Amino acid sequence: MIRYDPEIQALYRRYCLPARRYLKLGGPVLRMSREKYEPFVHALARDARAVTDAELTILFEGSWRERRTAAWLAAISRRDQFRGRLGALLLESEVCCAGAAYCVALASFGTARDADLLAAYLDRYLHRPDLAYDQPTAMGALAYTDSVLHSDRAGHFLQEGGLWRQWFQEAPHMHGDHGISTYLGGIRLACAVIDECADTPLTASLSTPATTCAAN
């Protein structure tokens, strides 16, 4: 159930609407010029520290705008107590335009439990080539957690005859080869922004990522 009430509208105005933040979380922030990037990320880091657990819980009940923003705020503030909620929302895929943010947040936490949640999503949705959901981003996120954990959870999907290759070949919206380097690179860059926000004092200057990607 998506909430539409004064309480969630107030939180939307407080955390999502400034600088149309909800539209820029993902690929757009990685493509910003330094002049735009620094104030945007500075404000994002500030709000990630200010938002309360109760406010995040409410934001996760909103539309894709609130949920996407909440996922990034939870990731930046290292609130991995929302891991289960993020995994459930990803698996449900109730709204569009938010799944990539859930994947980024889980990848940023980077534990075996996060890998399990990403793998559960892929186990379900790689059986659905008719759905253009967040399969590529989830695949990149799982590969990223493998790089952090020195594991090979993604190999199960990527092997010859695995679900990833079958899905890619059968999905009418996918083109080119079935490599995941672009999706992995996007997750890596998004996690770098999250780490920078989390670790940099708000009085310090934030640098612009040197590489761009097309993550959403």
Side-chain angles (χ1 to χ4, degrees):
M1 182 70 67
I2 299 175
R3 286 182 57 173
Y4 299 99
D5 57 48
E7 184 177 33
I8 203 163
Q9 287 300 310
L11 292 177
Y12 166 79
R13 290 189 295 271
R14 170 69 180 86
Y15 293 109
C16 309
L17 190 58
R20 300 184 77 187
R21 172 184 289 162
Y22 64 90
L23 288 177
K24 299 171 184 176
L25 297 172
V29 71
L30 303 174
R31 296 189 290 268
M32 285 181 182
S33 65
R34 179 166 183 164
E35 291 74 18
K36 293 181 178 180
Y37 176 87
E38 290 192 354
F40 181 84
V41 176
H42 189 91
L44 182 61
R46 182 192 63 227
D47 283 348
R49 299 177 193 189
V51 68
T52 67
D53 286 357
E55 288 173 331
L56 281 175
T57 298
I58 295 170
L59 285 169
F60 279 126
E61 297 172 356
S63 72
W64 68 268
R65 299 167 182 82
E66 291 87 4
R67 296 183 190 195
R68 176 189 281 185
T69 305
W72 274 74
L73 294 175
I76 292 167
S77 55
R78 310 299 199 202
R79 301 195 208 183
D80 58 4
Q81 65 267 34
F82 285 97
R83 171 183 292 115
R85 182 64 172 142
L86 287 160
L89 289 171
L90 179 62
L91 199 61
E92 292 164 4
S93 293
E94 182 181 18
V95 300
C96 67
C97 305
Y102 307 151
C103 293
V104 167
L106 292 171
S108 75
F109 296 149
T111 70
R113 178 56 184 149
D114 302 297
D116 287 342
L117 293 169
L118 291 164
Y121 174 86
L122 291 167
D123 273 324
R124 174 178 294 186
Y125 288 102
L126 288 181
H127 286 285
R128 296 295 306 273
D130 57 311
L131 299 179
Y133 282 8
D134 298 286
Q135 294 95 331
T137 307
M139 195 72 253
L142 184 59
Y144 178 83
T145 61
D146 277 343
S147 71
V148 172
L149 299 171
H150 305 289
S151 59
D152 190 26
R153 292 292 303 277
H156 168 70
F157 300 103
L158 296 173
Q159 65 186 354
E160 190 70 35
L163 285 177
W164 166 255
R165 295 194 181 192
Q166 293 178 27
W167 177 83
F168 195 98
Q169 291 168 1
E170 296 174 13
H173 59 283
M174 300 301 292
H175 305 284
D177 63 53
H178 54 251
I180 63 165
S181 59
T182 298
Y183 313 118
L184 172 58
I187 293 291
R188 183 175 287 118
L189 287 169
C191 286
V193 174
I194 287 170
D195 290 344
E196 191 172 9
C197 288
D199 299 338
T200 303
L202 292 182
T203 55
S205 176
L206 297 172
S207 61
T208 308
T211 312
T212 61
C213 76
N216 293 310

